[in-house]
Structure formats: structure tokens, C-alpha cells
Amino acid sequence: MNVIFLFIFLVGGLNFFYEQIKVNALPASSPLRARQDNSDNSLGTWKIVGDSGVSAMHAVLIAPRKVIFIDRLEQNHLKRPDGLAAISSEYDLDTNQARPLTVYTNTFCSAGSFLANGTLIEAGGSGGDDLNYRSGLQTLRIYDQGKGDWIELEGVLPSNRWYPTMITLPDGNILILGGSTGSTGVNKLEINNPTYTIYPPPSGVFMQDYNFDFLATTLPYNLYPMLHLIPNYEGKTLLFVLASKQAIAYDLGIGKTVITYPDLPGGFRSYPLTGTSIMLPLSPTDYYNPTVMVCGGNKAQEITSVSEATCGRLDLNKPNAQWEMDNFGGTPRVMPDAVYLVDGSIMFVNGGGSGYAGLRKGKGANALFVANDPVLFPYLYDPFAKTYKALASSTIPRMYHSIATLLPDGSVLVSGSNPSNAVTLDVKFPTEYRVEIFYPPYLYSTIPRPTILSLESFPINQQRIKVFYNQVITLVIQLKSTDPPSLKATIIHHGFVTHSTNMNQRYVYLDIEDSYVDKSASDQYILTLRLPPNPTIIAPGPHYIYIFNYDAPCVSGVEVLLNSQ
Ligand SMILES: *[C@@H]1O[C@H](CO)[C@@H](O)[C@H](O)[C@H]1NC(C)=O
Ligand SMILES: [Cu+2]
């Protein structure tokens, strides 16, 4: 095996392979990816592990082994202690049980993001029916980690927000952008909300709305605008925003559009012609040069319209940047989800081959779903080689209102799908409660996986370990390998995902500054990593630090709380 192994990596150009590990002999991190081993599971595997209790319209990793699901106001089978249907749950990845959480206001098509202090904020939603299920249009929700439940602040948003996007800013406050002021299948002038607001309010007690004209010029396909923080060294708060086909760079500090990018060729990309966007992994080797990738969508809001089979990549810092197009692996997809894997590759998953995002029309035998042709297989995308590889298929269609999120063990949680306006089980695309895990090919690699034993001498994943920008941190890892390892390090924010929009999802390679053999124990190494220099590269908040050996991820990432002080 070693000979084959050697051959593969020499061909791959990793010429440090022959070196024996000794003090300082491990290679520094680089964005080069190793190739996969071939095995029976070389396309990954799927497993149905449990029941989400509430349909997973929104999902967020809240702790290393816990995911919060948020649905909308509907009669889910999971009940709260007061007997009413739960609309949010906390899913335990060890027991695969869902615990009901308490939400009284309608979270239908809302949004979420973390504050710098690690507290999860959720905002917006739809109208309510009665005292127990109240309007969420102006509600802001705080997840109280100590209590393990939601606190709802009703009426604190200055305007109604359905379908907004939220991100954490470099200063640790949260931006809530766009949406509509009332329920709709597609945005229109009368209910457009071309403004943003900030929580906590930067000055005074009350939150305020500020104009954001770009959202007035991108109707009607501008709900859940694509929003990414642009890295820079000038301390600017620069936003990449894409809605419909239009894209800009916006300087929030001066309140101005600073770059208008060319329109993205192909169909529309925003709700309900929903595509997805992701910031490609950022690396210190090129000073965090940002490239955004936008994939899927549709050309027309028609049930029979074949989904968009293109992606565009845009190098945001390049003068006169142009979209670099590809065929999205050759498969049309509307409502895709994009998830970073630990090794810096990207998984595209979920969605349909035709139609658009929206609720089923008609009842019973006359049910008419507005998206069809579920795409059951994910693609593994290599951002360096720009190649797509089709992976193993799931058996469960994941249509409108489904989610996917990376877990700290390197697997991907997939759940949701609920294109009906109330819980409906006996139709082609029912209200889904099944939680599935996808185990990507790298988990079946014969390359040994590292285990992170400690970070700054703290045991891992007991509590969030506080770390700072530009800090050099020390990790002790265990790696049982007869072959010299090739270690890389990364920090990932897993994001808050809903409607193919993964708010804040971020991947940043970390420099491994030094590496030593730990003489106090066998198979142990001590690594020092430098964290990103400033909060425009990755906003403050709870993130996970990973080590990987070639492409084999560590057994678990370490939860940290990155902040400025
Ligand atoms: C974080 O800040 C928010 C807003 O100021 C506050 O409500 C929350 O309790 C804080 N969380 C922690 C853990 O201090
Ligand atoms: Cu929705």
C-alpha cells in the first residue's frame, strides 16, 4: 500500500513526503488538496439517524453535538411541556433525540446569526393566528444558552421582515438586511423592504432602519439577498451583496456602493428562483483574496422551467472582475445548499431539477408542487481544480424548506423539506422530519485521522475556548501514522442555514507556524497556529478549528469563541 500511496502523493507534487517527522519538520498549511483513496465507500454514505420533531426549515449548530432546528408555526408532532406543538427543537447528535424549545411567534422564513459574545440571534418571520402563535414579523429572538431556550422580544424590529438575510459584522453586531413586509410568493414594490437594521442598536435604545437602495432596484427576485463580508486590511465593513442577477460591493461605513459588478449570466439566483452562494475558502497564502461562487436558480417562475445549470465565480478584488462560468457539474438545480467540508472542498446538495421555491398549490389528488425532479445526489466541488464529482444518492427528496450543515466530526447533517402550507404527510413531497447524516468520502480514507487533544491546554469541547485575532495558539494532537503526515489547519464558521442561504458560513485556512514531536507521549505532536489577523476575514463568534491530514479530517473540530479582546 505504501508504494501506491507514495506514488500518488509524489505525483501530487508533495515533495516533503520523504522527510521523517522531527521538530519543525511538518509542512506548513497549504491549500493543496490530497486525493481520495478508493474504497467501497468512495462516494460517501447516507444514514437516517432520527426525527427532528419540528420540520427543519432552519438549522444551526449550537454546540459540538447539538443542532437547533426552527420550523414555522404549524402542528408538528413534537409537543412543548404546555401541550402545544413545538416550532423549534434542539437535536442531540449523540442520542438522536429532539427536545422541544419554546417559541410563541411565527418563525416562517426568518433568519439568524451569532453575536460576538457567542449568543445566537434569530429574527423576523411571518404573521400569527392567536395568542399562542403570535406574529414574528417584528420579533427578535435570543437563544439563552444557560437556560437552553429562546427568549422572544416582540415588536423590537422597526419594520416587518419576512425573508431577510442576517450576518455578523466585524464589530460583532448583527446586520439584518431586506425581506418583505408581508407574506408573498415573490417580492413586489408594495411590500418590499429595501432597508437594513442592526442589533444591538449602535446608538440609543431602539433599533432603526437604514435605506439600502440596491434592494429597490432588484425586484422582484431579491428576497434572502446573498450577503458575504469582504476581507480587507483597512478595517472597512465591506459587504458583497447579490440579488436577482445583480451584485455590488457596499461599504457600510460610508453607506455607499463602491463596486458594481457585472450581472451574473444565466437565470435568476434569488428567492423564489433560489440559487445558493458561498465564499470560497480564504487563505493567508494570498492574503485572503475573496472569491464568491453562486450556483443554481432558475430562468422563470414556472413549474415546468428546467432549473439553472450554471455557477459563476467572481474574484471580488480583481479590477474589472468578470464572472467565470461553469455548468454546475452538468445538473440543473434550484434550491441547492452549499456546505464546506473540513478539507476545503464544497458539497452541493438538496434541491430540484425544475420549478422554484414556494408552497404547493391545490389539495389532495390535485396537489401541484411548484418544484419537481428532486436531485438526490450531492456534488463534491474542488475549488482549486474546479471539478465536480457526483457522490452517493440519498433516498429522500429535499425540496423547499430543507437544510444542510457541516458537523464537527466532518459529516454533513441534512434535514427538512416541507413545501406544503400545513403539515402534510400523504403527498409526493411530504413534510419531512427525518434527519439524515451524509458521511463524505474523506471519512473512509485509509489516511489516519488526527485527534485534537487540547487547545491552549484546555480539553476540547467542554466549553467554548476563548481565542483572539492574530493569536498564536497551541494544539496538542494525536496521530497514529507510520507515514509522515501532511497537516493543514482551518477555522470554520458553520453558519445558520435556511432557504439555501447559509448566513455567515466561512472557511479560513490557518497557518501552521511550528510543529513539534511531543516527546512526552507517543504519536503526539504540538502545533502552533496563527489565527486570522482581523475580524473582516472572519467575523467574531463561535467557530470550529480543525486539523486535517491530507484530506482526512480530525475526529472532531474544537469549538472556540473568536473575539477581539
Ligand atoms: C450577548 O449579548 C446580548 C446582547 O447584548 C445579550 O442579550 C446576551 O445575554 C449576551 N450573552 C452572553 C453570553 O453574555
Ligand atoms: Cu419559506
Side-chain angles (χ1 to χ4, degrees), residues 57 108-109 162-163 224 271 359 400-401 498-499:
M57 184 181 294
F108 202 174
C109 309
W162 228 43
Y163 304 99
Y224 282 124
Y271 185 91
L359 295 176
Y400 187 39
H401 295 143
T498 187
H499 293 78

Side-chain angles (χ1 to χ4, degrees), residues 300-499:
Q301 197 183 348
E302 284 161 21
I303 294 174
T304 54
S305 179
V306 175
S307 305
E308 184 66 27
T310 64
C311 297
R313 283 171 60 133
L314 188 67
D315 179 345
L316 303 187
N317 283 351
K318 208 170 174 176
N320 303 311
Q322 299 295 319
W323 290 97
E324 180 186 336
M325 304 301 294
D326 72 22
N327 71 350
F328 201 5
T331 306
R333 215 188 280 243
V334 67
M335 301 180 287
D337 282 292
V339 183
Y340 299 120
L341 299 185
V342 173
D343 67 349
S345 52
I346 289 163
M347 187 170 127
F348 292 102
V349 64
N350 300 340
S354 60
Y356 56 94
L359 295 176
R360 167 177 65 103
K361 300 175 197 289
K363 287 203 162 106
N366 298 320
L368 192 60
F369 288 92
V370 300
N372 283 284
D373 307 318
V375 184
L376 296 172
F377 67 90
Y379 273 128
L380 185 66
Y381 177 74
D382 180 332
F384 300 102
K386 304 179 183 174
T387 53
Y388 294 84
K389 181 181 178 181
L391 300 178
S393 288
S394 169
T395 55
I396 306 176
R398 300 291 184 180
M399 308 301 280
Y400 187 39
H401 295 143
S402 55
I403 57 90
T405 185
L406 175 69
L407 298 178
D409 66 3
S411 66
V412 177
L413 181 146
V414 175
S415 194
S417 190
N418 189 14
S420 296
N421 61 4
V423 174
T424 313
L425 302 175
D426 54 352
V427 288
K428 180 164 69 166
F429 301 127
T431 303
E432 265 300 339
Y433 293 98
R434 287 176 288 178
V435 177
E436 250 178 325
I437 306 273
F438 181 71
Y439 301 92
Y442 62 21
L443 296 179
Y444 298 101
S445 169
T446 54
I447 298 168
R449 298 177 69 180
T451 303
I452 302 175
L453 299 174
S454 68
L455 190 152
E456 287 292 276
S457 302
F458 291 105
I460 72 162
N461 295 341
Q462 311 277 306
Q463 58 184 46
R464 290 173 177 163
I465 301 169
K466 287 201 167 108
V467 295
F468 310 104
Y469 291 96
N470 214 26
Q471 187 186 359
V472 177
I473 56 170
T474 302
L475 271 72
V476 179
I477 68 160
Q478 188 183 61
L479 181 62
K480 294 190 167 115
S481 176
T482 49
D483 300 308
S486 169
L487 299 177
K488 289 166 206 143
T490 180
I491 186 165
I492 301 179
H493 183 78
H494 290 229
F496 177 104
V497 63
T498 187
H499 293 78

Side-chain angles (χ1 to χ4, degrees), residues 115 117-119 121 142 199-200:
L115 290 170
N117 67 10
T119 293
I121 302 295
I142 301 175
Y199 181 82

